[in-house]
C-alpha cells in the first residue's frame, strides 16, 4: 500500500516514502514507518539470494555475454559468473546500505557508513545518529537542520503532460530526458547483447544527469509561476 511520488523534499516525504522504501529487513527497526503488508528492500534482496541458491548454477549464462566494467567509485564491482560471485554481489549491495541490520546501523559496512534508512532518519530527526554505548544509538549527534527555503519548489510528479510547451522549462527538461533515455537505451543494449561499450557509455552519460536536473529545477514552470520546473522521466517524451 505504499504510494511513491516524485516531488520536492519535505520531512514528511523523507519519512513516509524514503524511509519506508529503505526500512531494514525486519520490523524491529528503530521507529519504522507503518506500512501494511511491508515488503522491504532487505526482504527483496533476501528473496533474490534465496531463489538463486535454490535454482543453483543452471541459471547463469556462460555464453560470453557477461559484462564487467572497471567502475568502482564506492565498494567493489564484482563480475557475476556463477552462484558464488552472485552471492558476493548481493552481499556487496546490502553492505552499501540496502536492507541493513535493524539493530546495528552500520553492521557489515566496510566503510563504517550508516545504511540509507538511518541517513534518511537523520534528516527527519534533524540530528546525526550517534553511538552512545555498546549496541546503542541515538539521534543526538550533529544538528542537521531542515531548511525548506533551500529546496527547489519543484512541481510534483513532473511529466510530459504537465510541463508547458514552448517554455524554457520544456526545453530544459527535454534536454534532461534525452540524456536519461540514452542512459536507459545503452543499459538495455549492454545487458541484452553483452556490450561493454554500451554500458560504459551509459555510465558516462549518467554523470550528466545531476547537472541537467539542477538546471531544470532552477527554471520556473512558466512565467511568474511559484512552482519550479522538474525533470521528466517519461520514456515516450
Amino acid at each position: 500500500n505504499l504510494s511513491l511520488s516524485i516531488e520536492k523534499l519535505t520531512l514528511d516525504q523523507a519519512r513516509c516514502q524514503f524511509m519506508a522504501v529503505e526500512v531494514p529487513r525486519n520490523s524491529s527497526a528503530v521507529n519504522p514507518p507503518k506500512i501494511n503488508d511491508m515488503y522491504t528492500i532487505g526482504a527483496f534482496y533476501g528473496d533474490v539470494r534465496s531463489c538463486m541458491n535454490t535454482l543453483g548454477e543452471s541459471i547463469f549464462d556462460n555464453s560470453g555475454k557477461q559484462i564487467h566494467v572497471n567502475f568502482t567509485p564506492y565498494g567493489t564491482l564484482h563480475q557475476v559468473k556463477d552462484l558464488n560471485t552472485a552471492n558476493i554481489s548481493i552481499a556487496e549491495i546490502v553492505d552499501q546500505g540496502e536492507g541493513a541490520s535493524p539493530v546495528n546501523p552500520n553492521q557489515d559496512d566496510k566503510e563504517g557508513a550508516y545504511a540509507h534508512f538511518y541517513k534518511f532518519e537523520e534528516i527527519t530527526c534533524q540530528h546525526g545518529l550517534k553511538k552512545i554505548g555498546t549496541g546503542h544509538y541515538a539521534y543526538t549527534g550533529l544538528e542537521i537542520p531542515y531548511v525548506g527555503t533551500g529546496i527547489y519548489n519543484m512541481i510534483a510528479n513532473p511529466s510530459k503532460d504537465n510541463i508547458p510547451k514552448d517554455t524554457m522549462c520544456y526545453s530544459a527538461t527535454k534536454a534532461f530526458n534525452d540524456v536519461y533515455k540514452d542512459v536507459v537505451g545503452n543499459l538495455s543494449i549492454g545487458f541484452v547483447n553483452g556490450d561493454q561499450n554500451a554500458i560504459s557509455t551509459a555510465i558516462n552519460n549518467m554523470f550528466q544527469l545531476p547537472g541537467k536536473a539542477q538546471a531544470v529545477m532552477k527554471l520556473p514552470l512558466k512565467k511568474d509561476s511559484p512552482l519550479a520546473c522538474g525533470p521528466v522521466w517519461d520514456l515516450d517524451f
Side-chain angles (χ1 to χ4, degrees):
N1 296 325
L2 177 61
S3 179
L4 300 177
S5 60
I6 300 174
E7 52 190 297
K8 71 176 186 179
L9 178 66
T10 63
L11 295 179
D12 184 65
Q13 188 200 35
R15 174 166 175 74
C16 297
Q17 294 194 42
F18 299 161
M19 286 175 61
V21 168
E22 297 284 0
V23 71
R25 57 180 168 259
N26 68 43
S27 59
S28 65
V30 179
N31 194 26
K34 302 298 182 184
I35 309 171
N36 294 329
D37 301 320
M38 184 180 292
Y39 186 69
T40 68
I41 282 185
F44 168 76
Y45 282 115
D47 283 351
V48 170
R49 178 180 288 167
S50 177
C51 287
M52 289 191 315
N53 287 305
T54 298
L55 294 171
E57 297 289 353
S58 63
I59 64 174
F60 296 95
D61 180 3
N62 294 312
S63 64
K65 289 187 177 181
Q66 182 57 279
I67 55 177
H68 181 67
V69 179
N70 186 22
F71 176 73
T72 54
Y74 176 82
T76 303
L77 187 62
H78 302 277
Q79 185 176 19
V80 177
K81 300 177 180 179
D82 50 28
L83 188 58
N84 179 56
T85 51
N87 275 303
I88 291 173
S89 296
I90 294 294
E92 181 77 19
I93 293 170
V94 173
D95 174 57
Q96 291 185 15
E98 305 287 2
S101 166
V103 179
N104 183 350
N106 54 16
Q107 178 177 313
D108 300 329
D109 188 276
K110 294 184 286 292
E111 305 293 330
Y114 292 133
H116 302 161
F117 175 87
Y118 301 101
K119 289 183 177 181
F120 286 128
E121 192 156 35
E122 286 181 321
I123 293 174
T124 63
C125 292
Q126 301 188 64
H127 279 276
L129 185 59
K130 185 178 180 180
K131 191 170 185 177
I132 57 174
T134 303
H136 296 283
Y137 294 78
Y139 291 96
T140 57
L142 185 68
E143 184 178 5
I144 306 173
Y146 172 81
V147 182
T149 55
I151 297 172
Y152 295 116
N153 191 32
M154 187 190 79
I155 182 176
N157 298 310
S159 75
K160 61 185 179 64
D161 298 321
N162 61 17
I163 299 295
K165 293 184 177 179
D166 301 319
T167 61
M168 292 179 65
C169 170
Y170 187 91
S171 299
T173 198
K174 185 68 169 65
F176 167 88
N177 187 265
D178 286 344
V179 176
Y180 168 65
K181 286 190 292 190
D182 185 76
V183 170
V184 173
N186 276 291
L187 286 175
S188 179
I189 292 170
F191 292 141
V192 171
N193 300 328
D195 187 334
Q196 296 203 179
N197 289 332
I199 296 295
S200 296
T201 298
I203 292 173
N204 289 334
N205 289 344
M206 177 183 67
F207 286 106
Q208 297 182 38
L209 292 176
K212 288 188 177 295
Q214 290 177 0
V216 167
M217 291 182 288
K218 289 178 180 179
L219 296 171
L221 184 64
K222 54 186 177 181
K223 187 177 180 181
D224 299 325
S225 172
L227 292 173
C229 191
V232 169
W233 305 88
D234 305 47
L235 290 175
D236 59 347
F237 184 30

